[in-house]
Structure formats: C-alpha cells, structure tokens
Amino acid sequence: MDLEQLRKTAAEVVARDDVKYLIGWKKGSYGSRVAPAFVEDAASVIELIFSPSCTANLATYLTLVEKTPLPRGQETDKRKVALMAKGCDSRAVVQLLVEKGIHREDVIVIGCPCPGMIDQSLLAGKYGDTEERSEVRWNGKDFTLVRGGDEIEIPRNDVLAEKCRLCRHPNPVISDYLIGEAVKEWDPAEDSGVGELEAKDVDGRGDYWEGQFSRCVRCYSCRNVCPLCYCQDCILDRLNPTWINRAVNFSENTAFNISRAFHLAGRCIECGECERVCPANIPLGKINRKMAREVREKYGFEPGLDPDAEPFQASFKPDDPEDFIL
Amino acid sequence: MTADNPYIPYFATIEDSWFETGGDRCIKTFKVVFDDPAVRDSWNHKPGQCAMIGVLGEGESMISISCSPTEGKFLRFSVMKMGKVTQALHKLEAGDKMTVRGPYGNSFPVDDWQGKKILTIGGGIGQAPLRPIVEFVKSNREKYAGLTMIYGARSAGDLCFKGEFDQMSKRDDLSCHLTIDIEEEGWDHNVGFVPQMLLDLNPSPENTIAVTCGPPIMIRFVLENLKKLGFSDEQVYTTLENRMKCGIGKCGRCNAGCMYVCKDGPVFSYSVLKDIPEAFA
Amino acid sequence: MLLNKEKWPEFVEKLIGKNLWAPKLEGEAMRFALVAEGEEVSLEYGNTRVPPKGTAFPQTETMYRFQLGNTDMQEPKLEEERILLGVRPCDARAMAIIEKLFRWDYDDPYFLKRREMLTLVGLACNDPGLNCFCPSVGGAPDSAEGLDLLMYDLGDSFLMESVTTKGEALLAETKELLTDSDADAVKTKEKLFADAGAKIKRTVDHIGIPEGLPGLWEDPLWRRVSASCIGCATCTYLCPTCHCFDIQDEVEGFEARRCRMWDSCMFEEYTLHTSGHNTRPTRRERTRNRINHKYSYYVDKFDVIACVGCGRCINLCPVNIDIVEILRQVKEELQ
Amino acid sequence: MSENYEPNIVAFLCNWCSYAGADLAGTSRVQYPANIQVIRVMCSGRVNPLYVMNALQQGADGVLVSGCHPGDCHYMEGNFYARRRLGMLKDLMEFVGVDPRRFHMSWVSASEGNKWKEVVEKTVEDAREAGPFEGFRRRQIDW
C-alpha cells in the first residue's frame, strides 16, 4: 500500500469545500490495533494508515450519523463524506446506494485494494499481544509483525481473517480514487464452517445454535456495527407492539438472531463485522454466509456489486424457485 | 411498595376520571383511592412529588401527583396520552384499578416559603405539578403573603383544570391569569405566550418565590424573563422530567448531570440547576 | 491457610454439591457457570468475558409474577446459596461498589438478597492482562475488597486468607485439606503480588478528574472520542460496575411478569422520551455520560470511582475506544 | 410424544384467495383437521417473517402461509414477494434448527376447497410427525 499516495489523495479530498470529513484509519491505542479516524483537515492526513489490521468495515459510519433537531435558521451539513474502502467496504457502499440509504453524490470512495486482513484475536492467540504499540505489514505473500525492535514473519493463513479467506471481491467495486494497483484476486477457500453445519441433521443444528444463541448478551453490537443495519426505527427497540421481548433468554435471543439474519438475507455483503465484534463469540457469519449462498445459488443474486440492481427482498422474478410450496 | 420491596406497587381504585383536554394527546385526570385502608392513612405526599403509576402487564410511568395532601385522602394524576403505558392508563375508567408506588422525589419546600408571595408559571401539562402548590397555598392562605398563578396553553381546549379557574378568579386573595397562544372565539382572557405574559404582569421579585413548569422551550424563556424582572436564582424553582424506570435511583437513566431526577429532583432551585447543562438538554 | 495444589481437585469436589460456580470455557471465552459433578475446574484464565455481576444482578430477572386481572403478586424466592470460585479482585470490588447504589436510601431486595447468598472466593492475579489498570483506580491484583475468601497462587499451593465470616466458615469446612501457612508463604505472596502489580503498564491519573469532568461539558474532546463509537452496549454490558436496568412487563396469555434487564446508556432509546425528545441525542452525549457517570457522578454520590480497571471495555470495544486514552485526554484538557 | 398429541397450527391466509378457499371448503362440508387457527391477512405478501417466528415462540407447532396462485394476486405481485421472502425464511429456519416440516407455504385459490383440505392435512401431518415444538418457544417463566 502506498501510504504517500493515500495521504496525498486524502489531503486533496479533505481540502475540498464540499467535503465534510474523510473516514479512514489511524493507529489504535495499544498493540497492533487500529481505530477509525475522522480527518477534517489536510494537516491531519498524516495520521492515516492502511495496514492488515484495518479489518473493520468503515461504511458503517455513513449511516451512523444521528440527526438531531437543528436550531431554527441552521441547515443540515450537506457536504460529502469521503471513505477509505476496501473490497467489502465498497460493496457495503454499493448496497447502500441500491437501497437509497445514501446517495452517490454524498460520498467519495477512496478505493483501497485489499490484500487480506488479519484477525486480531488469532494474532493475539498465536503471537501474544502487548500494551506497547506494534504494527502488522504486508510483505508480499505473508504478514510481518513489527513489535519492539523485532520483525516476526507470520504465515498468511495463520492469522488471515475468515472473511478474507472466503473473499471474492478484494478490490473495491466502486471508487472515485484508487490507491495503488488492484490486487490479484485469490481463490476463496471452501466455507467449511457452513459446510459442517449443513452436514448435520436439523436437530443437530438446533442444538448447535441453542448453545450459541444462549450466550448472546443482546448488546446489539452486531446490529450497530453492520453497515446495512441502519433503520431509524429498529424492530428491536419497538415497545408497542413488542415483537421481541427485551428479556435475555434462549427464545428471545433466537428470535432476535433469526430476524437479524433474515433482514440481511440478500443484503449481507459478508464483511464479517457482526462476528468480529460479538463479545460472546457467536459465529453469526455462518448464518449470513449461508443465506448469501442460498441467494446466490437459488436466485442468482449477489448484493453489493451493481449500484443499479433492484434490492433483493423488494423485488422478484416470476420464475423464482417455488419447490417448497405445497 | 411493601416494607422490604420498594418495587411492589399498591393497588388503587379509580374513583372518578375525566378528560381535561381532547385531541391525540389528550389529558385525562384520575382520582384514585388506595384499596388498602392502612396505605390510605400512611400515605403522605408533599406538593411536587411524583408516583409510579401503572397498569399490570403494560408497565409503569412516573407521573406527578396533581393534588395537594390538604385536599383529602385521595390522589389525582393527570396523564397525557403518549406511549404504551399512558395509552393503557387512558383506557381505564372509574372502578378500574391501577398500581401506584411512591411518593418519590423531593418536593417544593412549601414550609420554607411561608410568609412569601408565591408565583406559579405553568404551560400545558406543566400545570400538573404546580397545582398541588396552588391548592396547598389556597388551603393555608393565611400563612402566605400572596398567590399569583399564570397558566397558558396552546388553545382554550388545551388548558387543564379549567373548571377550577372560574372559582379562583372570584377570590380576591389570589390572582389567576390565563393565556392562550392564538386568539379564538369566546376567549376573554389574555392571548400570547406565557413568558411574554409574565413580562407584562411585571410581578415584583420582592419576597416572592417563582415556580415554573412546562415545555422546555417555555421554561427557557420564563427563566430568562424572571431574570429580567430581577428574580435571583434562589427565588426560582422548576421541575425536571426524564425517562424513568425504577423511580428510586437505581436504574440509572434519569440523571441530569450528577442529579438523579427521581431522587434529587424533580424539584430544583435554579441556583442548583444553572450549573447543570444537561438539565436543559 | 495453605492448600497444596495436589489437594485442589478434592477441594473443588467438596464444594461442588454446594452450587459451585466457576469460570468455564464457552465458545472462545470464559464465563461463570455451574460446575456439575465430576467436572474439573481450572483457574488458568485471565478474566471471564462477562463479569460475575450477573450472579447478583442477572441480565434478566423476574421482579414479580401476576395474573392479568388479579391483584395477587408473587415474588421470586432467592434463597439459593451459591459459591463463586475464582473471582478476580476487580470484579469482587465492583460488586462492593454497586452495592452502594443498591443500598442508596431504598434497599434493592433482589440484588441484596442475591448478594447475601453469594460466597465469593477470589483469586488474586499473578499475571494481570495487558489492559488492566486496577491500581490506578483504587484496586490491586490482590485486593480483598468485596471478597469472602482470597486465594493466592504461590506456584505449588494456594495461600487462602479469609476476609469475612463466610470465608472462615468455608475454610473450616475444608480444614482437613489445608495446612497452616508459614512466614515463607506470606513472604512469597508479598513478593509475587508486588511483581504482579508492577506488570501493570496502563495507568490512569484520576486526581482532579471527578471535580474537573463536569467543567469539560462542551469540550471538543467528547466529539473526538465518540466519533467512532457505534453505540453498542459491549462496554456497558461487560462492565462489572455498570448497573443500569430497564423494567418491562411480559405477558403470555393471562400469565405475566414484571422483569428487569440490563440496559445501557449507550443505546439511543435509553433516554428517549415518548415525545421524541432525547436528552442525550447523539453518541457524543452518551459517551460523555458514561465517562462522567463512572468518574464523576458516582464519586459525587458514593465517594468511589465506578470503574475497577478490569480492562474489558478496552479489550472488547469493536472500534478501539479506550477509556484509559479518553481519561488521558481529559487530564490533558484539565491542565 | 404422547399418543394424543395434537399439533397447533397457525395459518395466515390471504383475504382474496386462500381464505375464500377455506371458506368454500367449509360451506362444501369438506372435512379437514381442526388443528388449524386461521388468521386472515390482506395478502400473503403482508406476512412478516416476524409473524411466523412469533407464532412459533408463542406455542404454535407449525405455521402455514397461503396465498393466491402466482399471477392471481389481488394486488398484482404481493405473493411473488411472499414467495421470495418466506422461501428464504424457510431456508434460514432450517439452518438454525427449526424442522422444515413446521413451516409450509401454499397457493390455494378461492375455488380450491379440496386443495385446501389437502394442504391442511399435509401441514398437520407434518407437524404431527415433527412433534411438539420445543425449539425457541417461550418457556414457562422460571425462577
């Protein structure tokens, strides 16, 4: 990744009058963590980075702006937001465009081709973690961990995030600026997580998910972090009528998780954020990927690729499969 | 609310209920009496306090007690139809039961105010917590130097406790000023906003306590205007309202700055409140 | 008293019949769970993912049951004694801290009863985690506050020190497994835990923060630190001192219950009035409230910081919002 | 499973076809199992997946959604949306461990009283085979 080019482009973009800020990455507070950066002026672009730690999906922030009532006479800030987008971030942007969650003219996409991101928990598990800042770099084929004065070679598959192993679109699908060269796409690994579950019988799967969903603490981080969960009025916060009780038990947790997954069927762009942030380690990605595959195979639809597509659940084809109908 | 569990409510039967205003967000007043005679006798609230009233199966809501303890062994609540609980409350009629626990919060220091002139400035449903003061002062009129009431609403139909004002304006030991925002037929009182009316009346701050309650925007301008009239911060009281669940300082959500509205409030002197920016959020 | 590690399985065995809860691996993380017959308890863990506050303040608990149209209310029976084995000192301290709130003027019967039924057997930290900062906020890797019994891992044995009569009773019950401690053991302990304290790298300088925080009300700092917040409840649900709850009625047919469940100040609807007005409308206000509540309001009311430095919110924040970093910035602004 | 277990089925029927079809079955005195509780909705496209889940949570052992045949929808295309959405819901529920025999969808027109009978029989039979639903049903409140 050419940081020089990134910062130069970023400086150029944030200097524009019609740009509010740029959402990118900066160093985090400890270890090899990174944190989202909101860059408002050209002087701050120096803090921008792009490294294998930038696993999260920044497209979330496009729809996370709370709209508070404005004092009389003030107008909403209609300036554009610039976004550093990997392959998966850009797919989220496209899907938001499809759903008219955002408008194309409101966003500037700075495409960052992505050679694959690390999973921090895998890294910490295998190579330890430190309070002191460290850095992970791409070194062509694998990763290098720079910690203290040491450089540790890390085989790619040791710490590669699951979503990246399965990734089919590492390059941004839309962009206004492209930083560096497009990366060579790799063959997605077989989705063994979903495969293993499919091999079980329905009761076996029920037991598996009961174990998982029972742990859910309903912190809603999966909902909040998801770039495509952006309803102003979420069914989960509704009290009247209360579809899903707020009580935390297996029944309500399952209802919550099914509705979350259902609302993302045909929309999920498989960025794996829900699974990454879950403090209870529930493999939410498996459900999402299963649904994404069903949609792909049965309906021939893949979300987040074509900004002019019809939203999957708000459209139909006369010849949709109906073998399940009595 | 039993001795060992403050979350268990008492049951109270609605003796009478009537609509104060109409419309989508209509206000209904309930006059309720506790089922348990022991509770009826031991219950002792002060003007300004609130109670958690609710309907089993729907939930509870913090509502100010809109009657003075001097009125009798009953409670009055004026409830605006807003959310899940208040909608359920509005379905109740005379003879139905509601749950009540409390009284919660601090109260207006009416005893400390003896010998002073009392000025209440209310807007809309904000008159509900002020009514106990008015009633309390009315029944202990000799202990107070004066009582002036300013009360306004959007329209004549939005005024609460209408029936009581005629009688009040006939008394010569207190003055009652009503106002509505927009002129309408058959209205022979003032027309204009409450803060403006306050300026027009120009009450003297001397030996006076001003108490205000109403929509946040009204409170803001009333406080400004009181300042213009020369009221010091210590002379001005207001009440706050936030979302509440427990009413006893446990559930955490009602704080404005370091003040828990359910326990440290709802009544605040402006001298305390002015240092808490969140109170005016 | 000393417990040789060879006797450890026997010690656990003795407690198992008594509703013993200990950290168990669930998913990829540790969580307190009931230990069944014949199970091994391992104390090889940093800290549990979800704090043990749930044993006294469950995520969802029934306050009372009733039938619609009936004035009869049944309260739950909370008379089940429970032993928690391997509680970290920070989590035990947190229990003591939130107990102050649950005793504030009105006694909270549910929390206090459940707390009374608990025996907390602590385990001092030999190897604190990388985001631990307990010494900065009044704790220590071997703090006994809130515990009934504290165990120190001395390598081949546990040094057991009772803190309360409950702890003493537990020691008395298992006395045939214990040997008297000696001066050496105490010396080893002191050395070990001085070292453990020294391993903690992260620090918070809270001097002046409780008084100074309200003065930073409109500081640009809050927008800066909350910009990346996604508004989830990870930091608050996993916080051992967060105690906010919501009360909801649940109805199934004519059977109903009023129950309470954890709530989080990071949720938008937490302070949302029915009118649509929100006193904390954006993540800026909500983040500000979280920090203020822990480091200022609670100090104002109960004279103790409502943060025990367990580091969970730092470890688990999806977007690396770091309370130590926020407090560093607060301190900077104050100077 | 007890010998005399009778499944509870909640059926969401569209107002224009399936409800009329069920009506016809009734007026024609077609005998079909009485395990079914009918909820009339204006269109099968109005059936929110939450309804299906809520029914299962609150004690249904099986759920049936029935609408007009493709192309016959009173609202032109409501049942096409329903087909896509509920088809996916079925896949999803199967993946998280809900027996696929518990959820069915059918097209029954206003004239198909006999088809209605077959659909109900099939649904009840499947639910009976699957047994009482214990999955994520709201369990008795327990302290």
Side-chain angles (χ1 to χ4, degrees):
Chain A
M1 181 62 162
D2 187 352
L3 277 188
E4 281 298 302
Q5 193 196 346
L6 169 69
R7 288 175 186 160
K8 203 168 136 256
T9 314
E12 199 179 293
V13 169
V14 291
R16 281 165 58 171
D17 288 340
D18 60 342
V19 173
K20 198 162 23 172
Y21 50 72
L22 177 142
I23 309 171
W25 296 103
K26 63 179 181 195
K27 278 204 171 112
S29 67
Y30 70 99
S32 55
R33 303 302 188 286
V34 294
F38 293 77
V39 176
E40 294 189 353
D41 49 51
S44 315
V45 297
I46 191 73
E47 67 181 23
L48 285 178
I49 55 160
F50 189 66
S51 78
S53 302
C54 303
T55 318
N57 191 334
L58 291 181
T60 306
Y61 293 107
L62 294 177
T63 51
L64 215 65
V65 184
E66 288 122 328
K67 295 184 182 72
T68 49
L70 286 170
R72 206 172 293 165
Q74 262 185 42
E75 267 181 42
T76 15
D77 192 343
K78 290 209 178 108
R79 287 175 298 165
K80 296 171 197 279
V81 172
L83 177 79
M84 272 169 68
K86 309 182 287 286
C88 43
D89 304 32
S90 72
R91 285 186 68 193
V93 172
V94 169
Q95 186 59 24
L96 284 170
L97 293 173
V98 165
E99 294 168 8
K100 302 190 167 49
I102 52 170
H103 299 290
R104 187 66 186 92
E105 62 272 21
D106 294 338
V107 56
I108 297 174
V109 181
I110 301 181
C112 303
C114 164
M117 293 289 164
I118 59 158
D119 181 329
Q120 287 287 356
S121 59
L122 285 180
L123 181 74
K126 289 181 179 151
Y127 297 88
D129 207 348
T130 52
E131 187 266 328
E132 176 202 5
R133 280 187 180 153
S134 59
E135 198 190 331
V136 184
R137 292 184 193 145
W138 288 290
N139 64 5
K141 208 165 112 287
D142 296 316
F143 298 112
T144 307
L145 171 64
V146 186
R147 179 188 283 168
D150 304 336
E151 294 202 357
I152 309 162
E153 285 281 303
I154 297 177
R156 180 175 162 90
N157 283 331
D158 257 22
V159 293
L160 190 68
E162 190 176 32
K163 68 161 172 178
C164 301
R165 281 199 293 116
L166 304 170
C167 180
R168 275 168 293 110
H169 303 279
N171 288 305
V173 292
I174 51 164
S175 59
D176 297 301
Y177 300 86
L178 194 66
I179 309 296
E181 302 275 303
V183 294
K184 189 171 161 286
E185 294 187 11
W186 53 88
D187 289 332
E190 188 159 338
D191 195 344
S192 53
V194 174
E196 272 166 30
L197 273 177
E198 280 175 329
K200 291 185 182 190
D201 65 355
V202 71
D203 290 335
R205 285 197 295 268
D207 292 343
Y208 174 82
W209 287 113
E210 175 160 0
Q212 303 292 339
F213 293 154
S214 306
R215 282 207 310 275
C216 175
V217 290
R218 299 273 285 281
C219 65
Y220 296 153
S221 53
C222 49
R223 173 192 72 177
N224 289 15
V225 82
C226 178
L228 295 164
C229 265
Y230 58 97
C231 291
Q232 288 282 310
D233 185 6
C234 176
I235 194 84
L236 300 167
D237 304 335
R238 271 280 182 90
L239 287 180
N240 209 2
T242 318
W243 282 110
I244 296 169
N245 282 340
R246 207 161 176 197
V248 179
N249 53 42
F250 170 60
S251 172
E252 308 301 335
N253 292 356
T254 308
F256 155 59
N257 277 291
I258 293 181
S259 28
R260 192 198 65 81
F262 184 81
H263 284 173
L264 285 168
R267 305 171 58 227
C268 173
I269 45 87
E270 295 164 76
C271 66
E273 280 292 88
C274 45
E275 186 165 342
R276 179 183 71 87
V277 303
C278 180
N281 298 94
I282 301 172
L284 296 165
K286 285 184 188 166
I287 313 182
N288 288 343
R289 291 199 304 270
K290 161 81 183 171
M291 291 317 288
R293 212 182 63 202
E294 293 287 334
V295 170
R296 204 157 59 229
E297 286 172 3
K298 283 193 182 164
Y299 301 88
F301 182 84
E302 195 168 2
L305 295 179
D306 173 14
D308 300 320
E310 289 254 298
F312 176 74
Q313 289 202 34
S315 60
F316 65 89
K317 282 187 201 146
D319 56 348
D320 275 345
E322 60 169 19
D323 48 347
F324 64 97
I325 285 172
L326 293 179
Chain B
M1 202 170 106
T2 54
D4 50 348
N5 191 342
Y7 295 104
I8 303 266
Y10 303 125
F11 282 93
T13 304
I14 299 168
E15 208 166 67
D16 197 4
S17 70
W18 59 91
F19 283 96
E20 299 282 357
T21 68
D24 283 348
R25 291 185 171 182
C26 50
I27 297 166
K28 193 173 182 180
T29 297
F30 301 93
K31 182 178 172 192
V32 303
V33 175
F34 286 109
D35 289 358
D36 185 350
V39 178
R40 219 176 294 160
D41 292 333
S42 62
W43 180 276
N44 183 18
H45 74 273
K46 301 189 194 74
Q49 281 194 304
C50 300
M52 267 289 177
I53 66 174
V55 180
L56 284 186
E58 298 287 346
E60 288 178 313
S61 227
M62 192 70 132
I63 304 287
S64 28
I65 304 172
S66 63
C67 65
S68 153
T70 52
E71 288 178 70
K73 291 272 174 215
F74 61 84
L75 292 176
R76 272 177 59 159
F77 300 101
S78 294
V79 182
M80 190 188 269
K81 191 174 178 177
M82 294 291 288
K84 188 178 175 182
V85 179
T86 49
Q87 276 171 24
L89 281 168
H90 266 240
K91 288 186 191 138
L92 301 182
E93 300 287 344
D96 291 340
K97 283 186 200 309
M98 64 162 79
T99 62
V100 180
R101 58 189 175 94
Y104 293 135
N106 63 359
S107 57
F108 292 109
V110 278
D111 293 334
D112 301 348
W113 294 348
Q114 286 186 15
K116 296 191 176 178
K117 286 185 278 182
I118 310 293
L119 166 67
T120 71
I121 307 151
I125 185 76
Q127 184 67 11
L130 300 179
R131 189 182 171 275
I133 309 184
V134 174
E135 291 301 317
F136 189 86
V137 175
K138 261 162 67 182
S139 42
N140 296 289
R141 184 61 191 81
E142 69 289 351
K143 291 184 186 156
Y144 295 86
L147 173 65
T148 309
M149 189 188 98
I150 302 174
Y151 178 40
R154 240 172 256 170
S155 67
D158 291 322
L159 284 170
C160 296
F161 320 120
K162 283 182 280 279
E164 299 169 2
F165 300 137
D166 285 344
Q167 199 203 344
M168 273 169 72
S169 35
K170 281 184 201 124
R171 283 174 70 154
D172 51 6
D173 57 346
L174 49 87
S175 59
C176 166
H177 306 274
L178 301 177
T179 181
I180 56 172
D181 292 357
I182 304 155
E183 177 115 45
E184 65 186 74
E185 230 171 276
W187 178 254
D188 45 12
H189 298 274
N190 186 53
V191 174
F193 293 120
V194 172
Q196 186 55 43
M197 185 173 192
L198 172 69
L199 276 190
D200 297 345
L201 282 173
N202 196 13
S204 146
E206 204 202 326
N207 196 31
T208 305
I209 294 288
V211 194
T212 178
C213 184
I217 185 83
M218 185 205 95
I219 294 192
R220 217 174 73 209
F221 285 108
V222 166
L223 291 174
E224 267 175 33
N225 291 354
L226 283 170
K227 197 158 218 162
K228 276 186 211 159
L229 293 171
F231 281 80
S232 72
D233 297 340
E234 288 74 24
Q235 284 174 291
V236 179
Y237 285 79
T238 185
T239 71
L240 289 187
E241 187 183 34
N242 264 346
R243 190 168 182 185
M244 294 178 198
K245 286 286 175 182
C246 70
I248 53 178
K250 314 282 186 234
C251 77
R253 55 175 46 62
C254 69
N255 66 310
C258 63
M259 293 293 179
Y260 278 74
V261 174
C262 66
K263 283 195 89 274
D264 304 319
V267 175
F268 290 96
S269 157
Y270 186 56
S271 56
V272 174
L273 223 50
K274 67 173 196 279
D275 299 326
I276 302 173
E278 198 166 33
F280 303 100
Chain C
M1 299 300 249
L2 280 173
L3 174 71
N4 195 303
K5 281 199 180 167
E6 283 168 11
K7 297 267 176 70
W8 173 251
E10 256 182 273
F11 179 78
V12 173
E13 204 58 40
K14 274 207 118 145
L15 301 181
I16 273 178
K18 298 180 178 164
N19 202 4
L20 176 72
W21 288 55
K24 267 208 254 182
L25 194 67
E26 277 188 18
E28 288 159 33
M30 300 295 264
R31 212 182 238 252
F32 274 91
L34 182 70
V35 182
E37 212 70 38
E39 245 178 317
E40 262 182 53
V41 171
S42 155
L43 294 180
E44 302 285 315
Y45 75 106
N47 207 350
T48 51
R49 180 65 59 91
V50 182
K53 72 173 173 184
T55 52
F57 176 45
Q59 178 150 21
T60 305
E61 75 181 312
T62 307
M63 302 172 82
Y64 43 89
R65 287 172 80 166
F66 48 87
Q67 274 92 36
L68 294 185
N70 194 332
T71 57
D72 207 27
M73 289 188 244
Q74 302 127 37
E75 288 174 71
K77 290 181 185 62
L78 308 170
E79 266 127 32
E80 197 183 33
E81 291 205 19
R82 205 164 3 174
I83 299 173
L84 253 58
L85 187 61
V87 180
R88 292 295 180 187
C90 51
D91 292 341
R93 224 185 129 235
M95 293 265 223
I97 289 175
I98 53 177
E99 189 170 330
K100 288 176 198 280
L101 175 111
F102 284 116
R103 281 194 189 282
W104 185 31
D105 288 6
Y106 298 88
D107 282 353
D108 185 283
Y110 308 103
F111 177 87
L112 295 177
K113 188 72 194 168
R114 281 204 161 88
R115 178 73 187 80
E116 193 190 314
M117 290 294 144
L118 282 180
T119 305
L120 299 183
V121 181
L123 176 66
C125 302
N126 296 55
D127 201 10
L130 75 153
N131 284 320
C132 289
F133 57 99
C134 54
S136 302
V137 284
D142 55 345
S143 146
E145 196 183 341
L147 286 167
D148 296 299
L149 179 69
L150 181 54
M151 309 196 296
Y152 303 88
D153 188 343
L154 304 182
D156 50 7
S157 62
F158 289 110
L159 175 66
M160 311 268 222
E161 283 182 4
S162 64
V163 186
T164 64
T165 46
K166 267 195 238 171
E168 259 165 49
L170 198 72
L171 285 186
E173 277 172 51
T174 52
K175 66 170 178 288
E176 68 270 19
L177 302 173
L178 307 172
T179 52
D180 283 337
S181 66
D182 47 37
D184 275 359
V186 175
K187 217 178 261 171
T188 322
K189 172 202 109 177
E190 273 161 15
K191 160 100 183 53
L192 269 176
F193 291 96
D195 289 354
K199 280 185 204 159
I200 294 177
K201 293 278 166 16
R202 309 213 80 182
T203 52
V204 169
D205 176 13
H206 62 78
I207 310 293
I209 285 186
E211 304 78 39
L213 262 177
L216 297 178
W217 198 254
E218 291 297 340
D219 201 277
L221 152 90
W222 299 117
R223 201 170 73 88
R224 210 163 55 225
V225 299
S226 68
S228 59
C229 176
I230 55 167
C232 74
T234 305
C235 49
T236 46
Y237 278 6
L238 302 187
C239 173
T241 62
C242 273
H243 53 259
C244 292
F245 59 85
D246 187 9
I247 298 177
Q248 296 279 330
D249 286 15
E250 285 183 4
V251 183
E252 282 299 309
F254 287 98
E255 290 287 326
R257 65 165 176 170
R258 189 158 284 170
C259 51
R260 69 176 183 190
M261 54 286 285
W262 295 354
D263 202 351
S264 168
C265 57
M266 304 309 285
F267 286 148
E268 184 177 0
E269 74 277 6
Y270 180 72
T271 48
L272 181 69
H273 294 195
T274 322
S275 62
H277 174 74
N278 198 338
T279 44
R280 294 181 207 128
T282 72
R283 286 165 284 136
R284 181 184 82 113
E285 286 86 23
R286 297 197 278 274
T287 307
R288 180 173 65 192
N289 182 67
R290 182 167 80 91
I291 305 296
N292 268 282
H293 192 247
K294 291 194 175 303
Y295 278 86
S296 173
Y297 308 156
Y298 212 83
V299 180
D300 194 68
K301 288 262 178 293
F302 306 108
D303 221 20
V304 60
I305 292 174
C307 170
V308 290
C310 69
R312 283 186 181 91
C313 57
I314 311 176
N315 288 332
L316 293 161
C317 179
V319 290
N320 191 238
I321 293 176
D322 187 329
I323 192 165
V324 173
E325 176 62 19
I326 296 178
L327 291 163
R328 192 189 60 74
Q329 293 190 26
V330 166
K331 192 79 190 175
E332 223 171 70
E333 293 294 327
L334 285 174
Q335 274 157 7
Chain D
M1 198 192 315
S2 80
E3 280 290 297
N4 40 25
Y5 158 68
E6 287 294 335
N8 277 321
I9 312 285
V10 173
F12 296 97
L13 305 189
C14 103
N15 181 47
W16 306 98
C17 291
S18 296
Y19 193 83
D23 226 12
L24 178 67
T27 47
S28 330
R29 306 193 171 217
V30 176
Q31 296 283 326
Y32 62 85
N35 305 50
I36 218 140
Q37 313 279 329
V38 174
I39 296 175
R40 179 164 61 159
V41 290
M42 288 313 278
C43 177
S44 53
R46 203 265 171 269
V47 178
N48 189 322
L50 276 170
Y51 296 178
V52 179
M53 269 180 347
N54 216 265
L56 290 172
Q57 269 189 300
Q58 296 201 40
D61 301 302
V63 178
L64 170 69
V65 177
S66 189
C68 310
H69 284 273
D72 294 350
C73 179
H74 186 80
Y75 307 101
M76 312 310 285
E77 50 199 32
N79 53 358
F80 284 117
Y81 293 113
R83 180 174 68 182
R84 196 171 246 205
R85 291 177 191 165
L86 297 172
M88 290 208 308
L89 180 70
K90 196 175 165 90
D91 288 339
L92 174 60
M93 293 214 295
E94 198 179 331
F95 188 66
V96 295
V98 179
D99 198 314
R101 288 174 297 186
R102 296 194 191 280
F103 175 64
H104 284 306
M105 196 171 168
S106 66
W107 306 138
V108 174
S109 80
S111 60
E112 293 177 323
N114 280 314
K115 184 174 180 192
W116 170 246
K117 170 187 153 79
E118 283 161 28
V119 164
V120 173
E121 277 170 355
K122 165 82 174 144
T123 311
V124 172
E125 205 34 59
D126 271 8
R128 197 188 301 278
E129 273 171 30
F133 179 62
E134 294 295 343
F136 58 91
R137 180 169 180 173
R138 281 183 187 145
R139 286 159 198 176
Q140 200 54 44
I141 299 160
D142 181 34
W143 34 55

